[in-house]
Amino acid sequence: MFADRAKIYVRSGKGGDGHVSFRREKYVPAGGPDGGDGGKGGDVIFVVDQGLNTLIDFRNVRKYKAQDGEPGGKRNCRGKDGSDIVLKVPPGTVIKEAASGQVIVDMSGDNRQVTLLKGGRGGSGNQHYATSTMQAPTYAQPGRPAKELEILLELKVIADVGLVGLPNVGKSTFLARVTNAKPKIANYHFTTLNPNLGVVDLDGTNGFVIADIPGLIEGASEGIGLGHEFLRHIERTKVIIHIVDAAGTEGRDPIEDIYAINKELDAYNPDIARRPQVIAANKIDVIYDRDDSPVNAIKAEFEPKGIPVYPISAVSGEGVRELLYHVNGMLEELGSEVTVFEQEFFPEQAAANQNDPYTVEYDAAKDEYVVEGPRVEKMLGYTNLDSEKGFAFFQNFLKTNGILEQLEALGIQDGDTVRIYGHSFDYYK
């Protein structure tokens, strides 16, 4: 199965906590603080691997976590940084935020490596909080929390030219003739399931990459069949070769077929439908009356609209060379710049805009109220509870963030105990 889409969870590493310790050496009875800093958490990094062409690995493993930073130690020892996690993806992979579908980064063009989520910064040890009035600080800064994100990976094939057309019009046969690709070729209506890529080598040119986009059916733009799964592969193509069964070997009208496919393209993405197109009127090898050929009707219908029509036979090769040189000329006029989707979602900004959660609960077993959460933990790391000013700041924090209100809603009374990350306080209104 060709895996071109996967939803995964990624998380950077948490920063290591700062350490609280004091020098304890012989003849130094009152050594100063020597708590070390915590290490930085690992990053989540995506890199392009030219050797990959599917996202199948991400369907087998769904969760990826970078390593947390180690906490600091005594004697000013800094914690070890957490290891990054490096995820390899094929070129053309678009990384989106899963809930909104907005693009975070397109791993195409010059985007060969990107740090999607940065690890949390390590917390400062208590040595950094010593002052002339507070020479023995008993607190350190906790490490910054990890960042997490659910993302959607979509592989949008990078090809200069896309082949479109209804099933059994000869796209796979055409691709096998003009490139080194070896697509499976059979007479079945459910169509090719894998987008096949090949390189067209033409004398005197740089050549180009061509993709056989799986055959479309009516309703593909609405997701019928596997329409949406495959239409995304032509979003990058600069030129579309529309292959049609000019001989009508299966009883279909080739002109109606062309309009049907173009209708699906327009419904999925109007920008794609407006891209330069050339019609390859295939199977002329089974048209016996060339003077009264259906190709003439196709030319009369579409060439006045600026869409050139080339009669070809993918089986015998007749007319194929002329078509390829025409397409190469179209590509030279359009230039070589790769279509790269712009960023719409910014993980760092989203993380900054999120309020860190906290919980306020009653522990019946210990008969005390417990307040926890990243926001509270960070506040404690920056606050000196041993000073009058610091404790006043702490009380104001509890009030402005609604924590006192929640404690009262749980029925707290004067003299009851509140526990916050190892600190216990008696509550008085």
Side-chain angles (χ1 to χ4, degrees):
M1 175 65 184
F2 180 87
D4 68 347
R5 205 175 195 202
K7 183 185 288 187
I8 64 173
Y9 165 88
V10 292
R11 195 207 76 166
S12 63
K14 176 189 177 296
D17 294 337
H19 188 70
V20 176
S21 61
F22 299 90
R23 289 175 60 197
R24 291 292 181 264
E25 301 175 22
K26 195 174 183 180
Y27 308 120
V28 186
D34 68 349
D37 301 341
K40 175 185 173 298
D43 298 337
V44 177
I45 301 171
F46 280 83
V47 297
V48 170
D49 186 336
Q50 293 291 148
L52 297 177
N53 55 18
T54 79
L55 297 171
I56 188 67
D57 291 342
F58 295 102
R59 292 198 169 186
N60 299 326
V61 181
R62 301 280 185 163
K63 293 185 177 181
Y64 299 86
K65 298 179 181 179
Q67 189 178 34
D68 293 340
E70 292 184 356
K74 56 186 177 182
R75 297 183 180 178
N76 301 326
C77 288
R78 185 180 185 279
K80 183 180 178 183
D81 291 344
S83 299
D84 300 333
I85 184 168
V86 179
L87 304 178
K88 296 180 179 180
V89 294
T93 301
V94 179
I95 303 173
K96 298 181 175 181
E97 197 272 326
S100 65
Q102 292 180 315
V103 175
I104 301 174
V105 65
D106 181 356
M107 303 299 287
S108 307
D110 295 331
N111 293 335
R112 315 301 296 177
Q113 178 173 320
V114 64
T115 300
L116 192 77
L117 297 177
K118 293 183 179 179
R121 188 175 64 247
S124 298
N126 70 329
Q127 58 174 308
H128 295 282
Y129 297 100
T131 66
S132 58
T133 56
M134 176 58 66
Q135 297 182 6
T138 57
Y139 56 90
Q141 183 185 26
R144 298 289 290 172
K147 297 181 179 69
E148 58 183 10
L149 197 62
E150 189 173 39
I151 59 175
L152 183 65
L153 304 178
E154 286 188 352
L155 178 59
K156 297 177 186 286
V157 174
I158 298 178
D160 302 302
V161 177
L163 301 181
V164 300
L166 289 169
N168 296 332
V169 295
K171 298 197 313 299
S172 296
T173 304
F174 176 81
L175 187 74
R177 170 166 288 279
V178 303
T179 75
N180 56 358
K182 295 179 173 58
K184 294 180 180 179
I185 302 172
N187 184 32
Y188 54 96
H189 280 274
F190 197 78
T191 192
T192 312
L193 288 181
N194 297 355
N196 295 294
L197 268 71
V199 178
V200 176
D201 292 319
L202 289 174
D203 293 339
T205 75
N206 294 324
F208 53 87
V209 179
I210 194 169
D212 167 20
I213 308 304
L216 302 178
I217 60 174
E218 288 193 67
S221 61
E222 301 170 3
I224 295 176
L226 294 175
H228 268 162
E229 296 297 311
F230 298 133
L231 278 167
R232 69 170 59 94
H233 291 295
I234 58 176
E235 290 188 13
R236 295 191 196 274
T237 56
K238 300 185 183 76
V239 173
I240 294 174
I241 297 178
H242 195 145
I243 297 186
V244 64
D245 178 2
T249 57
E250 296 191 349
R252 296 197 304 260
D253 183 340
I255 293 177
E256 290 182 2
D257 286 355
I258 294 170
Y259 279 121
I261 293 299
N262 283 340
K263 180 181 177 182
E264 294 303 322
L265 295 179
D266 186 66
Y268 177 72
N269 187 335
D271 181 58
I272 296 174
R274 289 192 293 268
R275 297 204 182 145
Q277 189 174 128
V278 57
I279 295 173
N282 192 25
K283 302 188 181 182
I284 61 172
D285 53 296
V286 295
I287 297 176
Y288 300 105
D289 187 355
R290 295 291 179 94
D291 293 332
D292 190 26
S293 170
V295 174
N296 296 331
I298 298 173
K299 286 186 174 184
E301 180 70 22
F302 293 100
E303 288 193 337
K305 298 178 180 179
I307 304 175
V309 178
Y310 280 80
I312 68 163
S313 168
V315 173
S316 69
E318 182 181 353
V320 170
R321 184 178 177 83
E322 292 80 359
L323 169 65
L324 295 178
Y325 272 102
H326 175 80
V327 170
N328 187 77
M330 295 172 70
L331 291 172
E332 288 179 348
E333 290 181 8
L334 293 169
S336 59
E337 187 175 348
V338 176
T339 299
V340 178
F341 299 99
E342 294 185 1
Q343 185 172 7
E344 300 169 328
F345 184 89
F346 299 84
E348 294 293 330
Q349 181 178 327
N353 292 337
Q354 289 178 351
N355 289 324
D356 292 325
Y358 63 84
T359 59
V360 181
E361 298 174 341
Y362 174 64
D363 185 343
K366 296 183 177 180
D367 189 25
E368 59 186 14
Y369 295 82
V370 182
V371 179
E372 292 181 333
R375 190 191 311 181
V376 179
E377 186 180 14
K378 281 190 285 186
M379 180 277 302
L380 286 175
Y382 289 102
T383 307
N384 180 8
L385 297 179
D386 293 330
S387 72
E388 184 177 343
K389 185 184 253 184
F391 194 77
F393 173 79
F394 165 70
Q395 288 180 308
N396 186 61
F397 170 86
L398 297 179
K399 181 178 181 180
T400 56
N401 283 274
I403 295 174
L404 292 181
E405 186 178 339
Q406 291 192 42
L407 287 169
E408 291 171 1
L410 289 173
I412 195 169
Q413 301 294 322
D414 285 354
D416 287 346
T417 301
V418 180
R419 188 177 78 244
I420 305 178
Y421 286 104
H423 298 274
S424 293
F425 308 92
D426 291 334
Y427 173 83
Y428 290 99
K429 190 169 181 179

